[in-house]
Amino acid sequence: RLINRLLGQLLFVLPLLFSAGFLNGQTTWYSYQSGNWNNTDWRTWTTDPSGTTLINPSHALPGATDPVVILNGRIVTIPTGTTGRTVASVTIQEGAVLDITNTTGHSFGTDLNGSGLLRLSAASFPGFATGTFVQPGGGTVEYYGLTGGFTLSQFTYNNLILNLAGSADEAF
């Protein structure tokens, strides 16, 4: 009986641990402050959902199985020369900015959500499966500093801003 009871409790607890991310290695990361998303600036990220306390004792960065939330009032930049970021999902809250500059090769997993601002200085849009960011009521995408003629890879936007480098520049 004791074994059956323990097995029953274990079968109840294991799914909870998996859904909370404890056993599958998933951690939800929130922007603690404005900063860079590169291999050295770990202070940009916290596990505190309010973003007010730096909780990142292992100096970790968001990984491939982790959801990322850019909080209101924060600007997170992926600097030039940074390799593509791969995460489970990205949410850019209203009033938040994710600037991926001219970097490419990003995969934002299953969802790109939120109503903030996604800035790009390359025509290559980050990969994602679904999400509300580019749908009505979603966020704003800004392409900036692009020169010459360029072709956009994303065709659906909630809001789109084109800040071209010169008056003769064109987007296709």
Side-chain angles (χ1 to χ4, degrees):
R1 281 189 166 193
L2 178 62
I3 291 174
N4 284 341
R5 192 171 116 202
L6 289 174
L7 184 60
Q9 289 176 344
L10 182 64
L11 291 174
F12 175 75
V13 170
L14 276 177
L16 294 176
L17 290 174
F18 271 106
S19 67
F22 292 117
L23 294 181
N24 63 5
Q26 183 182 54
T27 300
T28 300
W29 292 100
Y30 302 88
S31 54
Y32 170 66
Q33 61 187 6
S34 294
N36 289 331
W37 186 355
N38 57 17
N39 294 331
T40 58
D41 206 349
W42 60 270
R43 288 178 186 88
T44 302
W45 304 107
T46 183
T47 57
D48 172 21
S50 73
T52 58
T53 304
L54 179 58
I55 303 172
N56 191 347
S58 61
H59 302 177
L61 298 169
T65 62
D66 300 332
V68 166
V69 180
I70 312 296
L71 297 172
N72 178 22
R74 310 281 165 59
I75 300 171
V76 174
T77 303
I78 301 175
T80 298
T82 303
T83 57
R85 300 286 131 196
T86 299
V87 293
S89 66
V90 171
T91 300
I92 307 169
Q93 291 186 347
E94 184 174 354
V97 177
L98 175 56
D99 187 347
I100 65 173
T101 64
N102 65 351
T103 60
T104 60
H106 306 291
S107 175
F108 293 161
T110 57
D111 292 307
L112 175 59
N113 293 312
S115 54
L117 175 63
L118 175 62
R119 300 186 75 223
L120 308 93
S121 62
S124 177
F125 202 81
F128 67 99
T130 62
T132 60
F133 194 84
V134 296
Q135 302 302 320
T140 299
V141 175
E142 176 187 6
Y143 292 95
Y144 67 94
L146 298 173
T147 59
F150 63 92
T151 302
L152 300 177
S153 60
Q154 172 72 22
F155 302 113
T156 302
Y157 300 93
N158 176 52
N159 293 308
L160 175 62
I161 299 171
L162 294 176
N163 283 323
L164 303 176
S167 60
D169 295 326
E170 297 178 338
F172 303 96

